[in-house]
Amino acid sequence: MIEYRDPVTGYAVRRYTEGPERNAKLYFTCENFSVDDRYFFFMKQQLPGRDDGGCWRADVRSGELTRITDYSYRGFATDRRKNIGYTCRHETEVYTVDLGTGEMTHVGDLPRGGQITGHLTAADSGRIACSYHLAEKIYALVVLDPGQAARVVYRSDYRLGHAQICPTDENLIFYIHETEGDAFQRTWMCDVAEGYVRPYYVEHPNEWITHEVWAADGTEMAMMKLDPCGFVDGDKGETHMGRIIVGDKDGRHFDVAASSEQLLHPCFSADRKWLCADRISYLGRRVQEGVVLIERATGKAKLIATTGSCKTGADHQHPSFNRRGDQILFSNPDENGNAQVCVIDLAQVWKDW
């Protein structure tokens, strides 16, 4: 672990890893920290000739690194409330992981011959859900309830991804039609009990919705709304290509929470008073990439950390808050474009907010 002063913002940042491999934080659509905020978790790339890939745990204060799973595990994610993680071994075996001790417990199996298409997610009730590619090559949503066999609750010809069960409502699973770009209708919600699906944010022509995430209490979702032609900020007269919009649980009401230059992946603080997002070059526009902090009450957006440019989508910054909401974890691409995990304390930012 080293601490450096950001050359643009002047804030202190701690970096915990270095290459040559990618060391990327968990995806922003799940918690990244243990419940006491002592540890955060990241994925180390498996390089040829080495055997140190997998999920690792970092002690926030000391920087000590401990491997939690080897490279045979996929889909690692942490619980919204409990101090456990979830991971999948050999594509189908589901385990819980004690985030303090690293102890693993086999809790069930997904349908044989398939594979997950994202990370595992869990509701407060203990129900685990994921998007899945079945052995017969049909895409599906699968749930695994404690003590029961896994169930396919929805099948589709579309490539399904980004599945996120509502943290406080095990009956709702958000998912997307994954096109690796724009989609006619990207966001969907599955009602498990009733067995039907419906659009979440109903898209209109020329809308590009992407990178959705639940709030920790399951009351709202945030997402990006992109426009290659740009949005005009009415207060400042500036043109931005990305807006963060926030919708209620049912998808009936949406508000613009922030409009700022080149935002991409948004994330809530646990109390929903703050948002963070990465600033990335895309759609032909080059910018200084980094991490932006946003105050929801005012819509004020401030660049708080700058980063290098990512080599792949897995190297994106994907910022997210710790549980207390006073730190942001993000991936900072190194000189080769490979993600390296960093933390910025927000107390120094709030002093001059």
Side-chain angles (χ1 to χ4, degrees):
M1 181 178 67
I2 66 167
E3 184 169 293
Y4 66 91
R5 189 71 56 177
D6 189 284
V8 175
T9 70
Y11 295 127
V13 178
R14 295 192 301 278
R15 192 188 75 203
Y16 290 79
T17 61
E18 60 181 355
E21 73 284 341
R22 172 192 308 121
N23 293 281
K25 68 179 291 292
L26 302 184
Y27 207 49
F28 70 103
T29 49
C30 73
E31 298 291 343
N32 275 238
F33 287 77
S34 56
V35 293
D36 58 3
D37 284 332
R38 178 178 177 182
Y39 304 112
F40 69 79
F41 300 84
F42 67 95
M43 303 303 298
K44 179 184 283 289
Q45 182 184 15
Q46 179 78 23
L47 293 182
R50 291 172 53 172
D51 187 29
D52 58 353
C55 180
W56 285 69
R57 183 184 74 188
D59 187 297
V60 176
R61 289 191 174 183
S62 71
E64 180 183 6
L65 305 180
T66 304
R67 187 158 79 159
I68 301 299
T69 70
D70 62 36
Y71 206 63
S72 64
Y73 292 83
R74 294 185 57 205
F76 188 93
T78 61
D79 194 273
R80 292 285 190 178
R81 307 293 181 198
K82 300 179 283 293
N83 202 39
I84 59 174
Y86 305 92
T87 190
C88 186
R89 181 176 177 232
H90 298 149
E91 305 293 354
T92 59
E93 302 169 9
V94 179
Y95 291 80
T96 58
V97 184
D98 186 300
L99 299 184
T101 66
E103 180 181 358
M104 304 182 70
T105 303
H106 180 227
V107 294
D109 296 283
L110 300 174
R112 183 176 302 177
Q115 61 182 2
I116 57 176
T117 63
H119 62 71
L120 299 175
T121 67
D124 292 348
S125 65
R127 170 175 284 178
I128 298 170
C130 64
S131 49
Y132 202 70
H133 199 194
L134 296 167
E136 59 266 34
K137 304 308 177 184
I138 299 297
Y139 287 94
L141 298 177
V142 177
V143 299
L144 178 62
D145 290 309
Q148 300 183 30
R151 293 184 293 132
V152 175
V153 297
Y154 177 64
R155 289 177 170 83
S156 176
D157 289 332
Y158 287 98
R159 179 183 173 188
L160 306 185
H162 289 219
Q164 304 170 57
I165 194 167
C166 179
T168 53
D169 186 348
E170 68 169 15
N171 187 54
L172 292 181
I173 303 175
F174 173 89
Y175 69 95
I176 67 162
H177 288 171
E178 180 61 87
T179 65
E180 298 185 352
D182 197 5
F184 289 123
Q185 175 57 47
R186 173 182 165 95
T187 62
W188 297 81
M189 199 73 74
C190 175
D191 185 301
V192 176
E194 296 296 330
Y196 73 83
V197 299
R198 59 176 172 81
Y200 174 66
Y201 179 90
V202 179
E203 294 190 45
H204 297 85
N206 301 317
E207 287 190 308
W208 187 341
I209 303 298
T210 188
H211 297 130
E212 310 80 7
V213 60
W214 281 111
D217 65 1
T219 60
E220 296 181 303
M221 293 199 78
M223 63 193 71
M224 289 306 305
K225 184 176 181 180
L226 306 182
D227 188 337
C229 297
F231 303 103
V232 177
D233 186 317
D235 294 331
K236 300 179 181 179
E238 298 173 347
T239 300
H240 303 302
M241 301 175 75
R243 281 177 170 172
I244 298 176
I245 59 174
V246 174
D248 60 14
K249 174 182 173 180
D250 295 325
R252 298 181 183 275
H253 181 81
F254 296 86
D255 290 313
V256 176
S259 179
S260 187
E261 185 180 24
Q262 298 291 117
L263 301 180
L264 198 56
H265 302 88
C267 194
F268 292 100
S269 61
D271 61 10
R272 297 186 287 114
K273 293 181 179 179
W274 298 86
L275 292 160
C276 62
D278 40 14
R279 178 169 288 167
I280 294 178
S281 300
Y282 58 76
L283 297 179
R285 182 176 294 185
R286 303 291 301 177
V287 295
Q288 169 59 66
E289 304 194 4
V291 176
V292 175
L293 180 66
I294 299 152
E295 185 178 32
R296 287 190 69 185
T298 63
K300 178 181 177 180
K302 181 177 182 179
L303 180 70
I304 62 172
T306 59
T307 69
S309 296
C310 60
K311 183 166 62 176
T312 70
D315 301 289
H316 282 154
Q317 295 89 340
H318 295 148
S320 57
F321 293 88
N322 65 351
R323 309 266 184 158
R324 286 189 302 271
D326 59 3
Q327 294 178 334
I328 291 177
L329 175 71
F330 62 97
S331 293
N332 185 350
D334 59 23
E335 61 275 10
N336 296 312
N338 295 320
Q340 306 300 334
V341 283
C342 295
V343 167
I344 180 169
D345 288 317
L346 296 180
Q348 60 186 325
V349 178
W350 290 329
K351 284 181 180 179
D352 57 4
W353 187 257

